[in-house]
Amino acid sequence: MSHTDRPFTLADIQTPALVLDRDQMRRNIALMAQAIGRSGARLRPHVKTHKSVDVWHDVCAAGGTGGITVSTLAEAEHFFAHGADDILYAVGIVPAKIARAARLLKAGARLTLVVDDADQARAIAAAAQAEAVVLPVMIEIDVDGHRAGIRPDSAALITLATLIASDPALHLAGVMTHAGGSYGSSTAAARLAAAQQEASGCVRAASRIRAAGIACETVSIGSTPTALAQADLAGVTEVRAGVYTFFDLVMAGLGVAEPGQIALSVLATVIGHQAEKGVLITDAGWMALSRDRGTASQAVDQGYGLVCDVMGSPLGDVIVQECNQEHGIIGARAPGARLALDRFPIGSQLRILPNHACATAAQHAHYMVLEQNEVIGQWPRIGGW
C-alpha cells in the first residue's frame, strides 16, 4: 500500500479485494477461547480457514493454543517456519508425502498424522522406515457417518490400534474425530446433540483402546458448531475448530453466529446496471467469491453472498444472484423483485459476506485489514498443498 497524508481507506483499494475486520475477528477468537476454556480442554485451532500467520498471532494472543491443525503439508511447512512446532495434519496421508513429513520431523516439528485404515498404516510405516523416522499418528474416528474414520465400536479399531502399537515406525498418539454432520444441525438442541455424540464417541474409542492395553493419550474432537455448543467434554483433551475466526453465512444459517459477527467480506465495485431486470453488476464474480453455495440447502438461500454497504452493514434481502468468472449479478432475494438502481451508482463500492469463509479466502493472496473501519495493513495468506 502506498502511504499518503490521509488515512488509507477502502475507496483507495482496487477491487475485488478480501477485507478482514480485525476488531470483529478478535471478538470471534475471544468467544471460542472462552468457550473452550470453560470445558477444561485445550484449543488446537485449524489454520485452514485463514492460512495466515498474522491471524494465528491474534489467536495466540487470546490466551495461547494447544498447537495448530492443518489440512495441507504446505500449511504445516509455512507455520512451522514461523514458530508453530506442534502440528496435527488432519487429512489422511499417502506414502508419497512421507518424505516431506519426515523433513519436518527431522527439523524439530512435532507433527502428528491421521490414519483410519490398516493398509494405509502399513504403507506409511514402510515409507517412514525408509526415511528413518517414527511417525506419530492418530486414529480417525467416525462419529456420525459424515466422512472418513472408523466407528468407535468397530472391531477394526482395536486391530488398527494394535498394528500401530506394534510397528516400530509408528507411535499411537491418540484418537481424533470431526463432527462434520453438525453442519446439518439447524437448532441449538441439534448442535448440542451432535456435540455430545462427537465427544462421547471419541472418548469411547479411546477407552476401548486403553482397555486393550494400548496407550491413548490424546482425545481430539472438533468443529465450530460443536465447539460452541457447550457439551460435556469429560475425557476430551483438545478441541479443533477453524471457521470461528471469521464465521460465514453457513454458520449464520445454522444459528451458530449472526451475520454481524462475520469478519470477512469481499469488497466489490458496481460496474453496470441492467435496468430492465432491476439488477446491478459488480466486478466480483466467482473468482473473487468462489462457487460455494453452502446456504442453498438452508432455510435462507444467500445466493453467492449477502450484500452489504461499504461499511459492512447488510442491505436487507440483497444477494449475489449469479456469478460469472469476473461478474457478480446482484439483485433482490425475492423472485420478481427489482432493486432501485439509483441506490447503487456506477463506481460505488459494496461488501459481500461469504457463504463459506474458507472457500472465499482461498481465492485471494492477501487480506486488506481494517481496524475501526480504517485500513491498517495487508496480510498475506498462503495456498497450495
Side-chain angles (χ1 to χ4, degrees):
M1 294 187 308
S2 60
H3 294 277
T4 65
D5 293 335
R6 61 177 176 79
F8 195 88
T9 68
L10 292 174
D12 299 308
I13 295 175
Q14 293 285 299
T15 60
L18 188 64
V19 174
L20 175 57
D21 181 339
R22 190 184 188 190
D23 300 311
Q24 183 56 53
M25 181 188 73
R26 284 171 160 171
R27 288 190 286 271
N28 297 343
I29 290 169
L31 177 70
M32 182 63 76
Q34 292 163 6
I36 302 306
R38 290 191 293 267
S39 75
R42 63 180 176 268
L43 176 64
R44 181 184 289 275
H46 211 315
V47 301
K48 72 170 184 176
T49 297
H50 54 79
K51 301 196 182 200
S52 163
V53 169
D54 297 288
V55 172
W56 175 59
H57 287 162
D58 274 359
V59 173
C60 293
T65 73
I68 64 170
T69 311
V70 301
S71 59
T72 70
L73 286 176
E75 292 166 24
E77 291 159 346
H78 182 76
F79 280 84
F80 176 66
H82 288 83
D85 63 357
D86 182 0
I87 304 169
L88 172 61
Y89 175 45
V91 177
I93 194 166
V94 296
K97 294 182 178 181
I98 294 301
R100 285 176 71 186
R103 286 194 291 272
L104 281 166
L105 289 166
K106 291 173 182 177
R110 292 179 288 161
L111 177 67
T112 303
L113 308 179
V114 170
V115 298
D116 68 352
D117 178 84
D119 289 339
Q120 176 197 30
R122 292 187 191 97
I124 66 172
Q129 188 172 25
E131 294 290 337
V133 295
V134 175
L135 294 178
V137 298
M138 301 183 76
I139 298 175
E140 184 167 5
I141 307 301
D142 174 11
V143 295
D144 58 10
H146 171 68
R147 195 166 55 193
I150 297 177
R151 298 293 294 176
D153 300 312
S154 169
L157 173 64
I158 304 306
T159 300
L160 180 55
T162 301
L163 186 158
I164 294 169
S166 63
D167 195 310
L170 302 176
H171 167 69
L172 183 59
V175 292
M176 59 83 69
T177 194
H178 168 63
S182 66
Y183 281 66
S185 302
S186 59
T187 66
R191 289 192 297 276
L192 178 58
Q196 291 171 333
Q197 177 176 286
E198 175 186 45
S200 63
C202 208
V203 169
R204 188 164 69 254
S207 297
R208 290 186 64 222
I209 291 171
R210 292 168 189 148
I214 301 168
C216 185
E217 179 180 356
T218 301
V219 179
S220 179
I221 67 171
S223 74
T224 290
T226 56
L228 293 173
Q230 291 299 286
D232 180 1
L233 300 186
V236 170
T237 63
E238 67 179 31
V239 177
R240 308 179 322 280
V243 76
Y244 73 92
T245 51
F246 298 155
F247 287 126
D248 55 26
L249 290 170
V250 167
M251 291 295 105
L254 293 178
V256 175
E258 298 293 332
Q261 292 176 273
I262 300 173
L264 197 70
S265 61
V266 172
L267 183 69
T269 301
V270 178
I271 61 172
H273 293 157
Q274 290 195 358
E276 69 280 8
K277 296 181 180 179
V279 301
L280 58 94
I281 303 173
T282 72
D283 58 359
W286 57 255
M287 284 291 288
L289 300 173
S290 88
R291 281 194 179 277
D292 193 284
R293 292 280 283 107
T295 62
S297 60
Q298 295 184 331
V300 178
D301 184 354
Q302 303 284 13
Y304 288 90
L306 182 64
V307 180
C308 303
D309 64 22
V310 73
M311 300 303 290
S313 298
L315 296 172
D317 286 334
V318 180
I319 63 172
V320 183
Q321 294 179 339
E322 301 176 31
C323 272
N324 299 125
Q325 185 165 336
E326 302 294 351
H327 296 76
I329 312 302
I330 290 178
R333 188 196 315 280
R338 300 162 61 88
L339 295 182
L341 299 183
D342 57 358
R343 296 171 55 198
F344 309 98
I346 303 296
S348 61
Q349 291 181 325
L350 299 168
R351 281 162 68 181
I352 300 165
L353 302 181
N355 282 322
H356 185 181
C358 307
T360 296
Q363 304 299 112
H364 300 262
H366 57 261
Y367 303 94
M368 302 305 296
V369 184
L370 304 183
E371 285 187 4
Q372 298 181 348
N373 283 312
E374 183 176 309
V375 180
I376 58 122
Q378 179 175 298
W379 288 357
R381 64 186 311 281
I382 65 159
W385 289 265

